[in-house]
Structures are given as structure tokens and as C-alpha cells.
Amino acid sequence: MSDNAAKLELNGTTYDLPVLKPTLGPDVLDIRKLYGEADVFTFDPGFTSTAACESAITFIDGDVGELLYRGYPIEQLADKSTHLEVCYLLLYGELPTSSQLADFTQRVTRHTMVHEQMHYFFRGFRRDAHPMATMVGVVGAMAAFYHDSTDINDPWQREVAAIRMIAKLPTIAAMAYKYSVGQPFVYPKNALSYSGNFLHMCFAVPAEDYVVSPVLEKAMDRIMMLHADHEQNASTSTVRLAGSSGANPFACIAAGIACLWGPAHGGANQAALEQLREIGTVDRIPEFIAKAKDKTSGIKLMGFGHRVYKNFDPRAKVMKESADEVLGLLGVENNPLLQVAKELERIALEDDYFISKKLYPNVDFYSGIILEAMGFPTAMFTPIFAISRTVGWISQWKEMIGEKNQKIGRPRQLYIGPAKRDYVDLRHR
Ligand code: ACO
């Protein structure tokens, strides 16, 4: 893996740092022995220059705006594949044959219902709870309902836990939604597709039939595929770190959901739509852009910027096309929020501030508009992201647990607190 070494000179001694060669992407300096040999740590808050693991799942080239799942470009998958096929690809490394896909679909479908007792667990939450709060709690509680798949040392249990979470997350998110609007829970309908079933569980009511629109079903499936994995982002790293201690898979995914909720990560889709609403009309955009450029305002343009993409986010392109398609179908092409979004994007992309900082629309800029047009309240945007990302989290967790020399994650620090000092008795302080 390493054919040359970088040299680090420190206090008169030279240390060799092996250079690891990836299949794609920049070389990686191996500093694993540095502390042992040179008694120094490296400092990298936010992990901007640190590869924390080896992974064969997802590759991003942020400079050219490329995203590959197991080598396949996201645009091709979003155009030709389905979310369940993408789940198979991410989990097992290859696109399935038709019999493998049929078998996988059947395995997922058989697990879509949740334990009936879980309904009571849901009813313990306040009706006005944010569905992400409910999801963190319910997914964590899956360990109590499905303890026959919590032994991480048993590959069969790991597999069952993976299938259970991919199958049940849509049911759990739909239940959180139904509970928040005071409607009865809708059981899954296994004749429907993965995304069709999710729409059904959210929008059907016992009083009348609900027919899933094929365009909305396809758009939802695309949203799922586009969000399915994204390399070592904050929530995935959270899942890996939680899992590195040997925690059960349900607890790890609950930790990932908690991290995803933040507005700098998955919460940005809700924040982006709320911001578009706040702007309201095209004439207010310049005033708003000025605020986003002013550091003292504390305002950022939500749905813009990305830690890795410094050219464009390939998912945003697909999402923008989907927004046009869905709004066209629903006959709301003139949706004022879409007009504001498009104009905001146009103005920002011509502005020196955004150009010089390489800030482009990310996946969340347009996804909220589609979801709102479908009938989802903003609070459901991040739960839908969580459903989609579940397969990525699980694939990364399984990859980590399967590693031979897997270690607990334990970063070090640059200590800047007081030096050692003696305790001062209360009466002398
Ligand atoms: N609006 C205005 N200015 C911005 C924005 C923005 N959306 N994003 C970054 N900047 C500025 C920063 O203030 C900073 O300026 P400086 O160099 O003068 O200090 C510079 O651009 C670099 O930004 P950082 O925050 O250092 O970049 P980082 O890689 O740490 O953050 C992030 C990336 C968190 C995504 C950031 O761009 C952001 O907060 N965007 C808005 C929230 C958002 O849309 N998040 C979704 C991310 S995608 C996802 O999770 C699916």
C-alpha cells in the first residue's frame, strides 16, 4: 500500500511517515506510529485533513463535484436505479442480479412492521414533539424491542439488525408524523415500493383510499438515493465512533440521527425552506444576501456551502431537476418559494463573496421545496433524510465492525487548561 514515505523533521530527528495510496483521491500520510515514536500529536479540529478510517463504500471528489457509490456515479443511479437497489449496492458492494434484488426486497419488506408494543411507546411522547426527537428515542429503543439482533459479534444478527432498520425507519418516521397530527398510525402495505409505502403511511387515512402518484413516488425514491450515503460526514462519523465501543447497532443509528438533526448537517433542509419563507419575495433577496455576507449578522445562507464540495454538489443538480418535475406535476410551477430559490441561487452564484469562498447550493437547497410540495411539513424534512441515510450509516458501521484490527475511536487533545495545582480549601477561596 505504501511505496514511499514523507519525512518529518522534529527536534533533530527525522521520522518516516508512510504514504498510503487510495484507489481515488489524495494520498494519505500514515501517522499511526507518530505519537509512539516522536511523542507528538497532530492537531486537526473538525478533521479537515484527517482520514479516520479505510472505506470502500463512497467516494467524493469535491473539486469536480463527483459522488460515487461503490464506484457508480450518483447521477446514473438517480436516473436508472431504485433506493432498494442502491441499499443493496451500498451494503454488499455490487449491484444485485434480479434474483438477488427480489430476495433483498422480500427480506426488507417482511420487516416493515414495528413491534405492536412500540405503539404505546410512541404514545408517551407529547404530540408537539419534533419528529426527530421522537425518532432518536424510538430508534434507540429498538434495542429493547429487538434484542435478538444486538450481538455485534454475530454476523447473522448484524445482518438482521441492518435489514430491520432499513425496513422500519420509514414506518417509524411515518408514525412520528401521524402522531404529531393526531391521526391514526397507518400500517405498511407491502405490495407498494419502498418509497410508495412511505408516502402511503404518511398520507393515507382509514376513511378513504390513497393512491400513490408514480411521479411523487419516483421523486421520493430519488431523494432517498441522493441522501443514501456521503462518506465520513458528521453523522456517519458519529455512528462509527459510537459503534467502535461495541455499542449495539440501534444505539449507534440513534446517535447518528441525533447528530444529523443539527442545522449545519441534516437540519439544513428545514432551515433552508424556513429561510426561503422568511425572504418571501424576490425583491427581498439583495437585503438578505447582504446579511448572509455580514459575519456580525450571524446569518448564513442555508442550503449553501459544503465542507467537501468546492465546485458544485452533484446531488443539488438532480434535486433541482426533480423540483421542476414535481412542481410541474402538481401544477404549482409558479410556487413562490421555487421562484425565490432560483433567483437567490442565480444572484449568489454571481456574487464575489460566494464565488471566492466556493459556496454553491447543496442537496438541501431544493429538497425542501419538493417535500413541501408533496405535502410534508418542514419538521418532517430531516426525518426523511434520516430514513435515506440509514443504509449509509449501517453499511459504514458493518464495514467497521468487520475490520480485523478494529479499535475504539479515541482522539487526543491539545490541552490548554490550568497546569497541575493543589486543591484550595473552601474557606480560603
Ligand atoms: N452562507 C454564508 N457564508 C458561508 C456559508 C453560507 N451558507 N457557508 C460558509 N460560509 C463562509 C463562512 O463564514 C466562512 O467564511 P470565512 O472564511 O470568511 O470565515 C467560509 O465561507 C468557509 O465556511 P466554513 O463554515 O468554514 O466551512 P465549513 O466547511 O466548516 O462548513 C457548512 C460547511 C457547515 C456546510 C457551511 O457551509 C454551512 O453552515 N452552510 C449552511 C448550512 C447547510 O446548508 N448545511 C448543509 C450541508 S449539506 C448536508 O449536510 C447534507
Side-chain angles (χ1 to χ4, degrees):
M1 196 125 170
S2 161
D3 50 11
N4 56 348
K7 308 266 179 227
L8 172 73
E9 212 173 295
L10 201 68
N11 302 328
T13 308
T14 304
Y15 300 93
D16 277 347
L17 303 178
V19 180
L20 307 179
K21 296 280 176 196
T23 324
L24 294 169
D27 290 351
V28 175
L29 298 185
D30 183 350
I31 56 161
R32 276 174 291 184
K33 293 191 178 150
L34 192 60
Y35 172 53
E37 290 175 356
D39 198 28
V40 288
F41 294 145
T42 53
F43 184 58
D44 186 20
F47 309 118
T48 52
S49 300
T50 296
C53 62
E54 278 185 348
S55 182
I57 301 175
T58 292
F59 174 75
I60 303 171
D61 185 335
D63 291 328
V64 298
E66 184 171 70
L67 169 60
L68 311 176
Y69 292 166
R70 301 282 190 185
Y72 295 102
I74 189 65
E75 297 86 347
Q76 289 181 24
L77 293 168
D79 187 33
K80 299 182 174 153
S81 190
T82 61
H83 184 60
L84 275 189
E85 188 177 64
V86 164
C87 288
Y88 186 99
L89 173 69
L90 289 169
L91 275 173
Y92 307 116
E94 295 297 336
L95 286 168
T97 61
S98 48
S99 66
Q100 285 168 333
L101 182 60
D103 171 63
F104 180 68
T105 305
Q106 212 241 346
R107 277 192 290 142
V108 170
T109 306
R110 278 182 51 207
H111 283 282
T112 49
M113 290 204 317
V114 296
H115 193 293
E116 196 63 14
Q117 188 81 14
M118 257 195 175
H119 291 220
Y120 297 102
F121 188 71
F122 263 94
R123 291 182 204 285
F125 287 98
R126 283 172 57 131
R127 294 265 178 199
D128 60 357
H130 194 290
M132 282 299 274
T134 309
M135 282 185 75
V136 172
V138 174
V139 173
M142 283 177 82
F145 287 92
Y146 304 104
H147 36 78
D148 58 344
S149 51
T150 51
D151 179 359
I152 64 156
N153 298 312
D154 177 347
W156 185 82
Q157 291 200 31
R158 298 204 296 259
E159 177 68 14
V160 175
I163 297 289
R164 276 185 168 144
M165 279 188 277
I166 292 168
K168 293 184 201 305
L169 259 285
T171 313
I172 290 170
M175 288 172 78
Y177 170 58
K178 285 297 199 191
Y179 187 71
S180 72
V181 290
Q183 289 183 5
F185 298 134
V186 173
Y187 285 90
K189 230 182 187 179
N190 287 349
L192 296 172
S193 72
Y194 189 81
S195 296
N197 182 39
F198 175 61
L199 290 172
H200 179 262
M201 288 189 290
C202 288
F203 297 124
V205 287
E208 61 185 57
D209 285 342
Y210 173 80
V211 181
V212 179
S213 144
V215 174
L216 299 192
E217 184 181 5
K218 174 81 198 148
M220 178 53 75
D221 218 47
R222 235 185 221 163
I223 289 177
M224 300 264 182
M225 285 187 270
L226 292 176
H227 288 88
D229 195 42
H230 214 227
E231 209 230 57
Q232 308 309 320
N233 57 83
S235 56
T236 302
S237 299
T238 302
V239 169
R240 278 187 177 258
L241 197 56
S244 76
S245 74
N248 74 72
F250 304 109
C252 297
I253 302 304
I257 296 173
C259 176
L260 185 75
W261 194 3
H265 192 10
N269 52 13
Q270 173 170 351
L273 194 95
E274 283 164 357
Q275 203 167 65
L276 291 176
R277 273 209 202 107
E278 192 190 324
I279 299 172
T281 48
V282 169
D283 58 303
R284 291 198 55 215
I285 293 175
E287 169 202 337
F288 189 80
I289 294 250
K291 274 196 214 155
K293 285 157 62 176
D294 173 8
K295 284 258 157 54
T296 61
S297 73
I299 289 175
K300 273 188 175 175
L301 186 48
M302 300 312 281
F304 254 71
H306 197 276
R307 167 60 62 80
V308 180
Y309 294 119
K310 300 299 174 194
N311 183 323
F312 67 92
D313 180 341
R315 302 167 301 170
K317 271 195 172 173
V318 181
M319 206 60 99
K320 189 176 179 180
E321 281 167 28
S322 240
D324 282 328
E325 219 172 280
V326 170
L327 270 57
L329 170 89
L330 297 172
V332 287
E333 310 79 329
N334 295 327
N335 175 311
L337 292 184
L338 184 64
Q339 306 308 322
V340 173
K342 284 189 171 171
E343 188 58 11
L344 187 59
E345 178 185 355
R346 193 190 64 74
I347 296 176
L349 292 183
E350 285 175 358
D351 190 296
D352 266 355
Y353 174 92
F354 293 92
I355 295 170
S356 63
K357 293 187 190 302
K358 300 186 175 175
L359 300 170
Y360 295 87
N362 60 48
V363 66
D364 290 327
F365 194 66
Y366 284 104
S367 62
I369 295 174
I370 304 178
L371 293 173
E372 190 190 58
M374 283 178 174
F376 286 104
T378 46
M380 276 303 286
F381 295 179
T382 319
I384 291 169
F385 191 160
I387 298 172
S388 324
R389 185 55 58 85
T390 296
V391 66
W393 290 329
I394 293 172
S395 304
Q396 302 264 355
W397 172 81
K398 280 182 86 191
E399 183 180 64
M400 180 192 69
I401 299 292
E403 272 169 19
K404 260 197 240 114
N405 300 319
Q406 185 258 320
K407 280 185 165 143
I408 187 166
R410 175 55 170 95
R412 302 306 299 263
Q413 63 177 6
L414 171 63
Y415 177 69
I416 52 164
K420 186 176 176 185
R421 50 187 172 164
D422 286 325
Y423 179 81
V424 180
D425 207 66
L426 186 58
R427 66 203 151 87
H428 296 305
R429 279 180 241 156

